[in-house]
């Protein structure tokens, strides 16, 4: 009951903050990117709040309990992604004036085919990313109130779409900034309490290194025997995936200038680094107090279950409620950002017929439609690891939009044919490998790693295809204004 | 109480510009009668671009060295699992806390260097004309510099 109360309180506060932002959300720029009027501090908090998803709050500790300490490389990669974002895309993307990746493709190549192809890839990435968020909501609600899994999923879809349909990005920015604080406090404070109340014996046991693979600070896929390859593949996917994530790109337009956008990215690194110190506590203590979760397969619930297992009585219930509210904040803010990007792709890029229409209404319809599909996809996904799905979303982004943006921003020779070939190769290779790793038992060895963590080969593959096809002049040459289009991305405006 | 709905007022030029949003970006072509100042501006922009690209490559190399280096060290020296500091294995501490400060330093140095390159450049595109940022309706075209709208600032 306490858990439900805490989640209810969180929802009510979020709605109140959202309503504060509604008044300003009247046009598409307001709705999508808050018309560049968000202060840098809030903006960095909102980006971090949106980025720290159920994968970080629930999935990281869960996968760590299941597979070992090496899972924390995901957190390192998630953070390192913002170094790549600051260095490669933040400033130029802000200057391009493109709200979405398809917009950027249009700016750089003026090809409607590429635009549509990009929009389809946006849908793939966003749905891959949304499903684990809704799964998290279903699992947490089930834990704190006993409702069936599907109730949480449906409720999550409803809450998120209603709050976006009414408020858009401007509202979402403040709500997400607030959610970063909620997540940090609601994970950090219980973590510290748990460390102290665990007792000396269990604390030492949690830090004890045994001879199993669990204690090795490297990631492995099953028992493939190639932990360094798997680790590097995950690092490539998470670091470069952040560069290509549509909802991350969209965020830089809430900054007033390219310079501010870059600085905001640095601020995000600080906020993420602080947050990621804490999920490890739940993974380490979970191994001592709730090892049975590994047998039942519910490792994603360890963050919520652990406080009750360590602290008895009402205090334990309270801590559980706090953590549950933090987890709810995680999936709420992430899924609102994801849904917005998804809706942008659906209505802005795919459905545009060239006739001016009621843009906002179509956007809102797209939000509802996108949420509905995500809910339907999440219903059978109860037993899939949150972090595995999110890892694939990053791998697809790293193999498609990362090459497109990086080459588009830093190389004037990119052609339409090259971009199309690279995008197609990247999306087919990465989703194909992920699907194959589910349906084909590969056994131990390099192949298992390269299927389950495909970024190690799909990212270089996509880059190579995009570059090589662009160089074949028989398939088209760069547009005559390509050089100007590239230079403009790096030339400071007077307002910078 | 209901506030009145805002009505957007746009100039004829804005409407014309927005109506051709799917035409190729002709505005990015250099003017056919480009004069010496135009050519100088282009040369300056190219110089900034090359410097920024060199900086981006340097930052990426540092980032790869950190991530692959740290994981590589942990892979080749399992002995670090048995050395403890404050009761925790050193290898775990390196993984859990070691990279974040270095990531921050790399990003900070990059941003500072990138801003210095921009400060050192004396030519600027002027943000002007119709575009999504100058109050036009839901435009999806970048705010484009018009012909001859660039010039020396300093």
């Amino acid at each position: 009951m306490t858990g439900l109360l805490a989640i209810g309180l969180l929802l009510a506060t979020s709605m109140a903050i959202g309503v504060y932002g509604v008044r300003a959300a009247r046009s598409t720029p307001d709705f999508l990117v808050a018309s560049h009027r968000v202060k840098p501090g809030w903006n960095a908090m909102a980006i971090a709040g949106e980025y720290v998803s159920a994968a970080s709050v629930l999935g990281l500790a869960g996968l760590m309990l299941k597979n070992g300490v090496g899972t924390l490389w995901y957190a390192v990669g998630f953070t390192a992604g913002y170094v790549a974002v600051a260095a490669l895309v933040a400033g130029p993307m802000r200057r391009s004036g493109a709200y979405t990746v398809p917009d950027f493709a249009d700016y750089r190549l003026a090809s409607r085919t590429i635009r549509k192809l990009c929009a389809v890839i946006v849908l793939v990435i966003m749905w891959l990313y949304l499903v684990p968020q809704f799964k998290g909501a279903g699992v947490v609600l089930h834990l704190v109130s006993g409702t069936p899994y599907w109730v949480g999923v449906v409720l999550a879809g409803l809450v998120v779409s209603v709050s976006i349909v009414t408020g858009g990005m401007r509202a979402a920015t403040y709500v997400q900034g607030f959610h970063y604080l909620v997540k940090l406090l609601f994970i950090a404070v219980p973590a510290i309490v748990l460390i102290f109340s665990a007792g000396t014996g269990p604390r030492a046991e949690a830090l004890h290194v045994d001879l199993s693979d669990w204690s090795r600070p490297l990631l492995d896929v099953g028992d493939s025997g190639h932990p360094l390859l798997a680790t590097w593949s995950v690092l490539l996917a998470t670091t470069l995936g952040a560069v290509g994530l549509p909802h991350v790109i969209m965020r830089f337009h809430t900054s007033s200038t390219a310079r501010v956008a870059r600085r905001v990215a640095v601020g995000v690194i600080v906020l993420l680094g602080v947050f990621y110190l804490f999920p490890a506590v739940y993974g380490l203590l979970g191994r001592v107090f709730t090892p049975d979760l590994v047998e039942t397969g519910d490792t994603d619930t360890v963050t919520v279950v652990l406080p009750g297992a360590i602290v008895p009585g009402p205090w334990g219930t309270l801590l559980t409620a706090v953590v549950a509210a933090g987890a709810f904040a995680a999936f709420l803010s992430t899924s609102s950002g994801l849904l917005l990007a998804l809706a942008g792709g659906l209505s802005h890029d795919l459905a545009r017929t060239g006739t001016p229409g009621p843009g906002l209404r179509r956007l809102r319809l797209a939000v509802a439609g996108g949420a509905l599909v995500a809910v339907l996809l999440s219903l059978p996904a109860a037993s899939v690891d949150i972090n595995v799905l999110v890892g694939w979303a990053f791998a697809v982004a790293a193999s498609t939009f990362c090459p497109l943006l990086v080459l588009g921003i830093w190389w004037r020779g990119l052609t339409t044919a090259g971009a199309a070939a690279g995008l197609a190769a990247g999306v087919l290779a990465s989703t194909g490998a992920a699907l194959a790793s589910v349906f084909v038992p590969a056994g131990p060895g390099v192949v298992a790693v390269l299927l389950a963590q495909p970024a190690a080969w799909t990212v270089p593959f996509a880059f190579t295809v995009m570059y090589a096809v662009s160089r074949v002049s028989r398939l088209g040459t760069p547009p005559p204004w390509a050089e100007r289009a590239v230079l403009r991305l790096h030339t400071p405006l007077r307002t910078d | 109480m209901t506030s009145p709905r805002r009505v957007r007022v746009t100039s004829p030029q804005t409407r014309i510009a927005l109506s051709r949003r799917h035409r190729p970006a002709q505005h990015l072509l250099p003017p056919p009668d480009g004069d010496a100042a135009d050519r100088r501006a282009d040369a300056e922009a190219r110089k900034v671009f090359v410097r920024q690209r060199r900086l981006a490559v340097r930052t990426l190399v540092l980032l790869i060295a950190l991530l692959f280096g740290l994981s590589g060290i942990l892979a080749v020296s399992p002995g670090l699992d048995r050395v403890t500091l404050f009761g925790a294995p050193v290898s775990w501490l390196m993984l859990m806390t070691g990279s974040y400060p270095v990531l921050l330093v790399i990003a900070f140095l990059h941003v500072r260097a990138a801003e210095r390159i921009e400060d050192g450049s004396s030519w600027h595109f002027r943000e002007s004309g119709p575009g999504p940022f100058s109050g036009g309706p839901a435009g999806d075209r970048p705010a484009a510099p018009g012909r001859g709208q660039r010039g020396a600032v300093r």
Side-chain angles (χ1 to χ4, degrees):
Chain A
M1 226 37 236
T2 326
L4 271 187
L5 202 70
I7 292 176
L9 213 64
L10 174 86
L11 288 182
T13 320
S14 310
M15 287 288 184
I17 298 174
V19 167
Y20 164 78
V22 167
R23 279 173 293 167
R26 289 239 169 98
S27 62
T28 312
D30 268 341
F31 196 87
L32 282 178
V33 295
S35 297
H36 328 298
R37 278 196 302 262
V38 178
K39 290 209 178 76
W42 265 109
N43 208 1
M45 282 221 299
I47 293 177
E50 178 179 87
Y51 195 63
V52 172
S53 68
S56 305
V57 174
L58 300 172
L60 214 50
L63 203 63
M64 183 176 164
L65 176 61
K66 190 175 180 178
N67 290 350
V69 171
T71 302
L72 291 171
W73 282 111
Y74 275 100
V76 174
F78 289 154
T79 313
Y82 272 86
V83 180
V85 165
L88 295 174
V89 293
M93 273 307 281
R94 175 64 190 81
R95 284 197 190 106
S96 77
Y99 294 148
T100 63
V101 184
D103 268 348
F104 176 80
D106 202 28
Y107 164 80
R108 194 54 186 73
L109 301 161
S111 152
R112 301 200 66 183
T113 319
I114 300 276
R115 197 187 175 96
K116 303 248 158 172
L117 183 57
C118 285
V120 171
I121 297 172
V122 167
L123 298 189
V124 172
I125 298 174
M126 294 290 99
W127 274 322
L128 263 180
Y129 210 141
L130 265 174
V131 166
Q133 309 302 325
F134 285 2
K135 181 218 155 166
V139 167
V140 169
L141 210 67
H142 171 71
L143 275 178
V144 299
S145 68
T147 52
Y149 167 75
W150 67 267
V151 175
V153 173
V154 172
L155 194 74
L158 270 179
V159 168
V160 175
S161 22
V162 167
S163 69
I164 297 185
V165 162
T166 49
M169 188 64 129
R170 189 168 166 86
T173 299
Y174 294 109
V175 176
Q176 283 166 349
F178 166 68
H179 282 174
Y180 172 78
L181 292 178
V182 169
K183 277 177 262 195
L184 180 63
L185 288 178
F186 287 20
I187 291 297
V189 173
I192 294 167
V193 172
L194 292 181
I195 291 175
F196 280 105
S197 43
T200 327
R203 261 206 307 273
E205 201 185 329
L207 290 174
H208 174 71
V209 174
D210 51 30
L211 290 172
S212 68
D213 278 344
W214 194 93
S215 302
R216 288 257 57 212
L218 291 173
L219 259 167
D220 204 352
V221 176
D223 288 314
S224 73
H226 297 276
L228 194 59
L229 177 66
T231 306
W232 285 4
S233 199
V234 165
L235 280 173
L236 264 182
T238 46
T239 305
L240 296 179
V243 172
L245 280 176
H247 65 298
V248 170
I249 299 301
M250 207 158 163
R251 269 286 166 196
F252 289 99
H253 287 280
T254 44
S255 296
S256 53
T257 66
R259 209 171 250 237
V260 175
R262 243 182 341 231
R263 290 184 173 193
V264 164
V266 179
V268 174
I269 296 172
V270 177
L271 297 175
L272 291 180
V274 171
F275 177 87
Y276 283 131
L277 296 176
F278 297 100
V281 173
Y282 293 86
L284 289 175
L285 289 176
R287 199 166 176 237
V288 179
F289 286 93
T290 55
D292 44 312
L293 287 179
V294 181
E295 264 108 74
T296 57
D298 297 327
T299 41
D300 276 338
T301 62
V302 62
T303 316
V304 184
V305 173
L306 191 66
I310 294 183
V311 183
W315 286 108
T317 316
L318 182 71
L319 282 180
T320 306
V322 165
V323 174
F328 233 70
F331 97 83
L332 264 189
S333 44
T334 303
S335 32
S336 39
L338 294 173
L339 255 188
L340 259 180
L342 179 72
L346 268 178
S347 71
H348 198 64
D349 304 310
L350 275 183
R352 166 162 295 164
T353 50
T355 50
L360 259 184
R361 214 182 120 231
R362 202 160 52 193
L363 251 173
R364 289 177 168 149
L365 271 179
V367 167
L372 183 68
V373 174
V375 165
L376 291 178
L377 289 174
S378 309
L379 289 177
S383 62
V384 187
D385 284 316
I386 291 178
N387 253 42
V388 169
L389 282 177
V390 169
W392 284 340
F394 271 80
V396 175
S399 323
T400 51
F401 290 155
C402 173
L404 177 73
L405 294 180
V406 170
L407 291 180
I409 288 170
W410 298 99
W411 185 47
R412 69 201 87 167
L414 182 70
T415 65
T416 304
L423 286 173
V427 73
L428 291 178
S430 53
T431 51
L435 284 177
S437 78
V438 175
F439 296 113
V440 185
V446 179
V447 178
V449 177
L450 294 182
L451 288 183
Q453 300 295 347
W457 65 277
T458 54
V459 174
F461 177 59
F463 265 103
T464 311
V465 169
M466 210 174 271
Y467 175 79
V469 174
S470 291
R471 289 306 296 264
V472 179
S473 53
R474 211 157 33 84
L475 296 174
T477 49
W481 33 266
E483 186 184 23
R484 282 277 178 116
V486 169
L487 291 183
R488 217 183 83 79
L489 299 176
H490 303 278
T491 313
L493 297 163
R494 280 186 179 190
T495 45
D496 270 5
Chain B
M1 199 194 100
T2 54
S3 51
R5 194 164 175 83
R6 280 188 293 188
V7 175
R8 200 189 313 276
V9 181
T10 50
S11 74
Q13 276 103 330
T14 306
R15 281 197 294 275
I16 291 166
L18 287 167
S19 69
R20 41 168 203 231
R21 58 168 56 127
H22 278 299
R23 294 251 311 268
Q26 299 292 343
H27 58 270
L28 290 166
L29 279 173
D33 52 346
D35 54 6
D38 262 318
R39 282 195 297 276
R40 237 181 17 247
D42 275 356
E44 184 67 34
R46 264 181 221 119
K47 216 153 65 188
V48 169
F49 168 64
V50 169
R51 279 193 202 133
Q52 293 282 24
R53 189 162 66 179
R54 206 178 298 140
L55 174 67
V57 169
R58 195 192 77 182
T59 302
L60 273 193
V61 168
L62 280 177
L63 185 62
I64 290 168
L66 168 67
L67 295 178
F68 285 15
L70 186 62
S71 48
I73 289 172
L74 295 182
V76 297
S77 43
L80 287 172
D81 296 356
R82 284 182 292 274
V83 186
T84 55
L85 189 72
F86 308 116
V90 168
S91 60
W92 291 10
L93 286 177
M94 284 165 71
L95 165 58
M96 288 172 194
T97 58
S99 53
Y100 301 119
V102 189
L103 288 174
L104 181 63
V105 169
I106 294 176
F108 176 80
L109 289 178
H110 176 90
V111 169
R112 201 179 57 169
E115 289 185 357
R116 283 194 180 154
I117 294 173
E118 285 170 0
D119 288 340
S121 131
S122 53
W123 293 83
H124 297 254
F125 275 97
R126 208 166 74 194
E127 190 161 32
S128 63
F133 313 138
S134 48
D140 58 354
R141 283 237 65 91
R147 280 181 185 177
Q149 281 180 331
R150 295 179 313 150
V153 168
R154 271 168 274 154

